[in-house]
Amino acid sequence: MSEIRIARRQLLQGTLALGGLAALGGLAGCSNEGRGDAGSQAENSTVTLPTYIPYAGFTADLPGENGVSDTMLSYPADPQPITDGPPGDGQDVSAFALTNNPVPPAMDQNAFWQELNERLGFTLSVSLVPSGDYTDRFQTTVAGDRLPDLFTFWPKGIPGLPSLLHERATDLTELLSGDAIEKYPFLASIPTESWKSSVYGGRIYGIPIARGAQSSVVLYGRYDLLEEQGIDPAAQSWDDMYSMFAELSSTNTWALANVPLQIIRQSFGLPNGWSVDGDTWVSANEDERQLDALEAGRRLVADGLVHPDTTSADNQQRQAWTIAGTTRFVEDTFSAWPAFANLSGDQAVDLNVILPPLAEGGGMAPIWRAAPTHNLTGISLRSADRAEALLDVLNYLAAPFGSSEHLFKNYGLEGVHHTLVDGDPVLNDKGKSETQLALRYLAEGPWVTYMPGRPDVAQSLYDVQTEAVPTAISNPSSTLFSETESRKGPQIGSALSDLEVDILQGRKPVSAWTDAVATWKKDGGDAMRDEFAEAFAASAEG
């Protein structure tokens, strides 16, 4: 069993700048009209979102507040079923879903998949696509009119999304709006903030997968290796951080698996995406502190403190470098701990979260809170006549923590996919492989922090989140829709991202950022600003 641990660090104290966080109280999910024109941003403020009904049968060991996830130190004893028989209408169901894991064995070689179908009472066919390829594959599937019964999609980044959903997805408004959600009690436990991202053109088109703080980016460090070198990670400024990274790097080891640019930007006080002052919206791209952050990142690369293969490696490779000790730090999300645990195997690894100091010193910098919705699941318009049955299937897959449905969905069969260790279901190699059907991206209740057999990890994550999440800065556009962002955002954003890499690698000067942002604004950034401001104002009026 893994000995991975995420210990609570001694956090820096001081006054935290809340930035745009205070402006988020009145946000509502907004979009444009479904035919691809700008439409009325006010439409979305009139839709009644599903009534929020927390599942009463679950009690957390460590209840979360102010955005912190509920946490369990052990799995509840004797899980019982909480559904009445198989869901759906007995007909087979097909799904197209994103995944961040290796593709599992095929159905005829997968005991978990076969047992899942037995419990569902029908065959669930899932076509899995790696998240990095998903947008292209999704658009190809839509263009070929091949969307299956269920499909996952991101709330942003897909060109013309409102039009696409209007033409290819089932309108779920009447089935889910207000108290209608009571028919699907596990979907009703999804927080309202996540449902705001499901509204396009004044209609509800998807089931949200709520993540929120769990997708927030932090810096993980190998504190056991730091301790061996007598290094205290409690840096008081960015200069302290740099000095620590420099001391940790040598010929065959590097301080960093990647350039922690989000962490650097947090340290330098940059807003999360956009800042809002009254009715004035300003992109973080325009902030002069971007130049300071980029210079800090460029210096890390130039001085050999970042693994030289980072630009050609994927996230799993960077995680593996850190677990192996080749690198000491890696930028990743709170939700990455299962991946670290899987990679560490039986190796004893002391992996901790370090929160960024303010660049000039004086306390801890607030982190950036991730969007409340990771992705959504829609129902194909071809399957509209089965919408209620398919929602029943999604409700089943969203069964809450502690139920036998949840236990099987996540950990499979005892003795086949997991072993009980002091009552906790610990996945074996077969379980880690066969259960990766992306079911958590099809339907999922509120996130619960839990690490089978490792209550110290769960406690540590709860502790660090309790310190960092309540003061985290949200992106005010996270639940708003901009047609320009949908159609042009990926293209103009990629131009900035490419330049960012060139700057970090020393191929372009930091000063090139200013002209590139001016081009970004002209090519769509200013239009995005105006559309977000309009959507924000409409949500406040609604």
Side-chain angles (χ1 to χ4, degrees), residues 372-389:
T373 301
H374 179 274
N375 68 276
L376 299 107
T377 296
I379 295 176
S380 172
L381 189 59
R382 291 174 177 270
S383 306
D385 59 339
R386 299 180 60 201
E388 291 184 77

Side-chain angles (χ1 to χ4, degrees), residues 55 58-64 67-76 189 191 210-211 214 334-335 337-338 398-403 406 410-411 440 444-452 458 461-462 465:
Y55 178 67
F58 170 72
T59 301
D61 292 335
L62 302 172
V68 177
S69 298
D70 287 340
T71 298
M72 293 296 292
L73 303 179
S74 61
Y75 207 87
S189 71
R211 287 291 185 269
Q214 293 298 328
F334 278 124
S335 61
W337 54 260
F401 190 99
S403 65
H406 177 276
N410 289 276
Y411 303 102
R440 67 181 60 186
E444 184 89 330
W447 181 281
V448 175
T449 298
Y450 168 68
M451 183 67 176
L461 276 170
Y462 178 83
Q465 286 187 16

Side-chain angles (χ1 to χ4, degrees), residues 125-174:
S125 302
V126 185
S127 177
L128 296 171
V129 180
S131 58
D133 302 326
Y134 194 77
T135 297
D136 288 342
R137 285 282 299 278
F138 178 76
Q139 291 179 280
T140 300
T141 301
V142 170
D145 198 19
R146 299 193 304 272
L147 278 179
D149 299 314
L150 304 173
F151 59 92
T152 59
F153 63 96
W154 283 298
K156 294 175 180 277
I158 298 174
L161 185 58
S163 176
L164 184 155
L165 293 172
H166 179 81
E167 296 171 358
R168 301 297 174 87
T170 299
D171 181 349
L172 303 173
T173 310
E174 302 305 320

